[in-house]
Amino acid sequence: MAGNEKKKNGDGSGRIDGMDCFDASRVMLDGMSRDGVTNVFERSESMEPRCRFGSEGICCRICAMGPCRIVSGKKGKETGVCGATADTIAARNYLRMIAAGAAAHSDHARSVCETLLNVARGKMKDLEIKDEQKVVKVAMDFGIKIGARPLKDIAAEIAEKALGEFGKQSGELLYAAKAPEKRKRIWREQGVMPRGIDREIVEIMHRTHMGVDHSVDSLLRQGARTALADGWGGSMIATELQDILFGAPEPVVSKTNLGVIDKEKVNVIVHGHEPVLSEMIVAASMDASLMREAEAAGAKGINIGGICCTANEVLMRHGIPPVGNFLSQELALATGAVDVMVVDVQCVMPAVTTVASCYNTAIVTTSKIARYDGAEHIEMDETDAYETAMKIIRRGIDKFKTRPVNVNVPAVTSDFVAGFSHETINYLLGGTFRSSYKPLNENIIGGRIRGVAGVVGCNNPRLGNDRAHVAMMMELIRNDVLVLTTGCGALSAARAGLCSPEAAGLYAGEGLASVCEAVGIPPVLHMGSCVDNSRLLIAATAMVKEGGLGDDLSDLPLAGAAPEWMSEKAVAIGQYFVASGVYTVFGVTWPTSGAGGTTEELFGGMKDKYGACWAFEPDPIKGAALIIEHIDEKRKALGIDKARERVLFDMAKRRELV
Ligand code: SF4
Ligand code: MSK
């Protein structure tokens, strides 16, 4: 049953009548169990009880005098062999998570810069600059002269300047200039203004080497600086330059869940993060010669589906239906109808090769830096990515010929809308002639929208499948909080039917529903992939600049959350939210919980430094309550907590703005 056909039951579970979005996963898990194939949920269960020292961040193995673990109490060891306390150990471990997360986003960004440079210099066949307006916008952000220069020259200079951000040794990152003035002052005062992306990451590795930085305060400042180098550096560069290359997303209608796999067609699943090759795969899937080859093999065509953030990239720009998120990768393979799964970097489980071998699927790795035993490797030829895409699809056609007869595809999909970039929100709210955040701000000031929450990040088998995301988002929209979402959380929301305009009437509070219905948007806005969390920073900055809601990001009735986080990238994202002034609630587990001083600094001390701090709450409904409480505090501080005339910007009102 499609998500749009569901009936409201208000239990926050996302359950719908008949087979629901979660049942599709259960069908696959039962099938895998019958086939004797293990899955991520079983493996997660088998890890219990998890190591307490590791969970609480108080195991250190950075030198060979250890590993050391801290056992508090009378006979316990209060320090490691070298004398490092639990706080130092936990802070160092935490910083290394940020370094890894920032490195992943930023290395992705580096390859986008290289692609743009190659395209601008005419070295890449079949790729063209799609968004000329964005070239001009980014050139202005970077202080690049435009004049009458050819667009490709400007684009090449953008790519070179962006590449320069990685190796910069001093000064300030270019995109940091976009932040509100007050925020920049805070960063400078706290000594956390990022200099160069690579420099900050390397400095974490140096500071956390045995015997270097032992002060929690000093360590956590470098953590904040590196995370900012991710959010306002690597991630923002990736987002903006990908928009130049592939086009800024616009609202697009699609479907999601395992039912988008088409039994009659050759199914090619794109999985990972970098969009260059997946863009080419989408283009090649329409190639007449390949269509003929697929038909000759007995298929009714070629079907592309996505998993994880590659899914979000091709969804946002082409409406390609996502099969699912992180936890769906094995389930998709277990349908037996996936002919080839093409993977690049990040969030691809090594287990896919084992599962694929049981279901006749080819796993094809394509990145120079990511190889798996048991997979085929077809390295992307940067000068001819289209040809690489053709080879991969042909591999799928070959596999289709030997596909087993018994495939198991649950006929479950949900309809939804994605493609809410900052530019789109601006346009949808303000209209063509005067794009503006004014209607959003006015509705927040008037009380119809209580506030905004960015609910983002991975999903985690320790919590079941998507339930924390769905429960938290439903609780927030029920309380008139507009939800912005990215990454796997966005795909959870889409699957549960929360990203359809109809969800406003079904699940949102009266105020939020009235605004969504007037503008024609869902109460949960899908804004893209993990690197696109930078779109949230830009949207929040636009709200500050619009006026009426304070003069810094920390003044806004705004919060962030990752109720099912799993990867180190999520920690980097959460920390750049906090250092940008956005209160952030994580679920699942807290990586420094065994170290009181470090945790206190993250949950409290950071509030004095950055005007925002972390919180940990494993229960998603209680996590939503923390967010609502925070939003209400901010409303009070802004003096907009009292009932005021509510402003609804309908079409007539929006026309008045022009
Ligand atoms: Fe143990 Fe110190 Fe070595 Fe860490 S750095 S393993 S705490 S001796
Ligand atoms: S893919 S980082 S599981 S959001 Fe970006 Fe999903 Fe988290 Fe990977």
Side-chain angles (χ1 to χ4, degrees):
M1 181 183 285
N4 295 357
E5 293 164 42
K6 64 187 171 288
K7 306 244 178 1
K8 185 176 185 175
N9 68 359
D11 67 357
S13 68
R15 184 168 180 85
I16 52 180
D17 294 348
M19 185 183 262
D20 75 9
C21 56
F22 303 126
D23 284 338
S25 303
R26 275 193 292 273
V27 167
M28 297 324 303
L29 291 171
D30 290 348
M32 290 176 86
S33 176
R34 272 196 309 275
D35 297 339
V37 182
T38 72
N39 63 67
V40 65
F41 297 97
E42 282 174 2
R43 295 191 298 272
S44 175
E45 187 66 34
S46 75
M47 285 296 153
E48 295 296 349
R50 282 174 162 82
C51 167
R52 186 174 73 78
F53 301 104
S55 297
E56 296 183 355
I58 46 174
C59 169
C60 184
R61 43 172 292 277
I62 66 172
C63 91
M65 293 190 287
C68 301
R69 64 208 190 288
I70 306 299
V71 187
S72 299
K74 218 169 168 194
K75 291 199 173 153
K77 304 168 188 70
E78 301 290 350
T79 70
V81 174
C82 66
T85 62
D87 284 329
T88 299
I89 291 171
R92 287 194 302 219
N93 289 337
Y94 174 78
L95 253 67
R96 286 183 171 215
M97 294 180 93
I98 293 176
H105 286 145
S106 301
D107 214 30
H108 167 167
R110 193 191 325 265
S111 80
V112 178
C113 297
E114 286 166 350
T115 303
L116 179 61
L117 192 58
N118 284 334
V119 170
R121 289 187 175 155
K123 288 189 188 161
M124 253 179 122
K125 266 170 68 183
D126 307 307
L127 260 186
E128 282 298 329
I129 289 165
K130 287 258 175 58
D131 193 335
E132 298 187 357
Q133 270 186 349
K134 196 109 190 193
V135 174
V136 174
K137 188 180 153 289
V138 176
M140 285 162 71
D141 286 341
F142 284 4
I144 292 171
K145 199 171 134 241
I146 298 169
R149 295 172 72 197
L151 196 84
K152 286 197 168 177
D153 283 2
I154 303 171
E157 195 175 338
I158 287 174
E160 279 162 352
K161 274 222 160 181
L163 280 168
E165 292 292 271
F166 293 87
K168 213 155 83 181
Q169 302 303 322
S170 57
E172 299 182 355
L173 284 185
L174 289 170
Y175 268 138
K178 286 175 88 78
E181 287 308 317
K182 189 168 166 192
R183 186 53 32 190
K184 286 184 277 191
R185 272 203 304 280
I186 291 171
W187 291 340
R188 289 179 195 124
E189 279 162 18
Q190 295 300 330
V192 299
M193 178 64 92
R195 297 157 293 184
I197 299 163
D198 291 352
R199 172 162 196 168
E200 305 308 351
I201 294 166
V202 168
E203 194 168 304
I204 280 193
M205 298 314 287
H206 183 186
R207 284 187 191 223
T208 60
H209 183 275
M210 194 271 155
V212 184
D213 196 353
H214 305 135
S215 148
V216 169
D217 177 68
S218 165
L219 284 164
L220 293 184
R221 278 179 206 271
Q222 182 57 20
R225 177 150 62 173
T226 308
L228 289 170
D230 176 358
W232 297 84
S235 287
M236 204 168 280
I237 289 171
T239 295
E240 295 283 277
L241 272 56
Q242 281 175 187
D243 282 357
I244 289 177
L245 281 166
F246 310 120
E250 290 177 1
V252 61
V253 175
S254 191
K255 283 182 187 304
T256 184
N257 212 333
L258 293 160
V260 305
I261 295 171
D262 189 333
K263 295 193 256 202
E264 313 281 346
K265 294 183 178 172
V266 174
N267 287 299
V268 179
I269 304 289
V270 290
H271 177 13
H273 280 77
E274 295 181 354
V276 179
L277 182 60
S278 49
E279 282 280 324
M280 287 296 111
I281 288 177
V282 171
S285 70
M286 291 171 245
D287 191 290
S289 66
L290 281 182
M291 304 265 249
R292 280 195 298 277
E293 287 175 40
E295 277 161 26
K300 289 199 172 149
I302 299 162
N303 183 41
I304 309 293
I307 297 271
C308 272
C309 282
T310 300
N312 286 322
E313 300 287 0
V314 291
L315 159 72
M316 296 277 280
R317 298 189 177 91
H318 303 285
I320 297 295
V323 175
N325 53 23
F326 176 68
L327 290 179
S328 308
Q329 54 192 293
E330 292 173 307
L331 309 184
L333 295 170
T335 61
V338 176
D339 301 297
V340 60
M341 180 179 271
V342 47
V343 302
D344 54 19
V345 289
Q346 303 167 26
C347 306
V348 183
M349 291 188 209
V352 291
T353 48
T354 313
V355 180
S357 68
C358 302
Y359 294 100
N360 194 50
T361 304
I363 300 287
V364 175
T365 53
T366 54
S367 166
K368 284 189 183 72
I369 64 163
R371 302 271 187 120
Y372 311 174
D373 295 334
E376 301 169 29
H377 187 72
I378 303 180
E379 196 158 300
M380 187 177 73
D381 176 353
E382 271 131 27
T383 59
D384 200 350
Y386 191 79
E387 188 50 40
T388 311
M390 297 270 283
K391 267 190 214 159
I392 290 168
I393 294 179
R394 281 206 176 97
R395 189 68 192 101
I397 295 171
D398 277 350
K399 275 292 194 183
F400 179 87
K401 292 177 193 160
T402 58
R403 189 197 280 176
V405 187
N406 292 332
V407 298
N408 182 13
V409 181
V412 183
T413 60
S414 300
D415 298 336
F416 70 107
V417 186
F420 293 94
S421 57
H422 151 69
E423 289 83 353
T424 305
I425 296 175
N426 213 10
Y427 161 71
L428 282 174
L429 291 170
T432 321
F433 301 107
R434 190 179 294 176
S435 296
S436 162
Y437 273 68
K438 189 171 171 146
L440 176 62
N441 284 20
E442 291 290 350
N443 275 300
I444 291 172
I445 293 165
R448 209 167 271 267
I449 296 177
R450 192 172 193 155
V452 179
V455 183
V456 306
C458 327
N459 49 0
N460 191 315
R462 295 170 71 172
L463 302 182
N465 198 357
D466 286 352
R467 288 182 187 275
H469 273 297
V470 175
M472 178 179 273
M473 290 189 207
M474 286 186 81
E475 184 66 7
L476 289 169
I477 61 174
R478 192 171 72 78
N479 284 284
D480 293 316
V481 176
L482 177 68
V483 172
L484 309 180
T485 183
T486 60
C488 290
L491 296 174
S492 306
R495 180 155 57 182
L498 301 182
C499 294
S500 72
E502 293 77 11
L506 288 170
Y507 305 119
E510 208 183 309
L512 176 62
S514 67
V515 177
C516 290
E517 281 163 359
V519 182
I521 56 172
V524 177
L525 300 181
H526 186 316
M527 293 186 78
S529 64
C530 310
V531 290
D532 292 336
N533 284 307
S534 60
R535 296 191 199 276
L536 271 67
L537 298 176
I538 299 292
T541 301
M543 287 168 72
V544 172
K545 291 189 174 161
E546 190 59 56
L549 292 174
D551 56 4
D552 185 25
L553 301 171
S554 63
D555 296 333
L556 295 171
L558 167 73
E564 300 191 31
W565 75 280
M566 165 284 296
S567 84
E568 291 163 315
K569 289 183 288 173
V571 179
I573 293 165
Q575 183 59 71
Y576 74 63
F577 273 19
V578 168
S580 298
V582 183
Y583 172 70
T584 299
V585 183
F586 264 34
V588 190
T589 183
W590 184 255
T592 68
S593 60
T598 299
T599 305
E600 215 171 276
E601 175 61 19
L602 293 163
F603 288 11
M606 284 200 170
K607 197 168 180 184
D608 299 330
K609 294 185 173 81
Y610 308 115
C613 62
W614 286 94
F616 168 59
E617 174 48 69
D619 179 325
I621 300 294
K622 289 185 188 159
L626 287 177
I627 289 172
I628 293 164
E629 195 185 322
H630 171 79
I631 284 173
D632 286 349
E633 271 171 27
K634 292 292 168 187
R635 294 187 65 86
K636 193 167 179 198
L638 288 164
I640 56 171
D641 52 324
K642 321 246 168 9
R644 292 175 61 155
E645 191 198 345
R646 290 177 168 183
V647 182
L648 177 57
F649 275 72
D650 56 14
M651 279 315 288
K653 195 102 182 166
R654 282 197 277 149
R655 256 179 246 121
E656 278 172 26
L657 275 171
V658 180

